Amino acid sequence: CTKPSVGSQQRRRMVVVKAETINPEIRKTEEKVVDSVVVTELSKNITPYCRCWRSGTFPLCDGSHMKHNKATGDNVGPLLLKKQ
Amino acid sequence: CTKPSVGSQQRRRMVVVKAETINPEIRKTEEKVVDSVVVTELSKNITPYCRCWRSGTFPLCDGSHMKHNKATGDNVGPLLLKKQ
Ligand code: FES
Ligand code: FES
């Protein structure tokens, strides 16, 4: 087969921007990190769950989102599970 | 005051690596995006909540983590809230 002609058009430069992972470290051997909470088993009135992927107690939030937000200008925070 | 002497040491080059935000778009006018779920009000047996910051139905998961994982090689997934 022959290459398609580009005629008088300039070839386009390809710029590939590689998007970034948001989870640098947690359970990287798992294909997808999914966690389950049986809500009837929650013991505290409010339990914060991590959405920043920086918690030392993942899937729970340990406040590490604050350091991440300060370092990057981001605005992420936890999901709060409330019994009432 | 005087600058401290660096003596015969070489000055260190400063390499600043800017960490990346993990939330590019969701509710960026809020200082911190925190959501609450009153678990007694969950209607379905399983409700997935987003932790990838890419969902069109945030704070709920709409499956957008799959596109993010494929594009970046990441392994993030939702938090599943289960009634039992
Ligand atoms: S530590 Fe990740 S949201 Fe708080
Ligand atoms: S869409 Fe974000 S975790 Fe599923």
Side-chain angles (χ1 to χ4, degrees), chain A residues 53-81:
Chain A
W53 301 90
R54 301 297 184 278
S55 177
T57 59
F58 196 90
L60 295 167
C61 167
D62 70 356
S64 295
H65 57 269
M66 289 184 283
K67 185 180 167 193
H68 164 80
N69 285 342
K70 195 158 187 184
T72 65
D74 210 347
N75 67 338
V76 298
L79 181 71
L80 306 180
L81 302 193

Side-chain angles (χ1 to χ4, degrees), chain A residues 1-64:
Chain A
C1 70
T2 55
K3 277 191 183 171
S5 167
V6 293
S8 61
Q9 280 187 296
Q10 269 196 292
R11 278 172 194 277
R12 299 229 181 108
R13 292 251 179 90
M14 191 74 147
V15 178
V16 177
V17 178
K18 183 85 172 88
E20 297 289 329
T21 60
I22 68 173
N23 172 26
E25 294 198 335
I26 292 170
R27 291 153 51 189
K28 295 307 286 190
T29 58
E30 297 178 26
E31 190 182 343
K32 181 161 62 177
V33 179
V34 178
D35 296 281
S36 294
V37 179
V38 178
V39 297
T40 51
E41 295 172 358
L42 290 166
S43 53
K44 293 180 297 176
N45 278 332
I46 302 183
T47 310
Y49 277 80
C50 179
R51 301 190 293 187
C52 78
W53 301 90
R54 301 297 184 278
S55 177
T57 59
F58 196 90
L60 295 167
C61 167
D62 70 356
S64 295

Side-chain angles (χ1 to χ4, degrees), chain B residues 18-65:
Chain B
K18 183 86 173 86
E20 298 289 328
T21 59
I22 69 174
N23 172 25
E25 293 197 335
I26 292 171
R27 290 151 54 188
K28 296 306 286 190
T29 58
E30 296 180 25
E31 190 182 344
K32 181 161 61 177
V33 178
V34 178
D35 296 283
S36 294
V37 179
V38 178
V39 296
T40 51
E41 295 172 359
L42 289 167
S43 53
K44 294 181 296 175
N45 279 331
I46 302 183
T47 310
Y49 277 81
C50 179
R51 302 190 292 187
C52 78
W53 301 91
R54 300 296 184 279
S55 176
T57 58
F58 196 90
L60 295 167
C61 166
D62 70 356
S64 295
H65 56 268

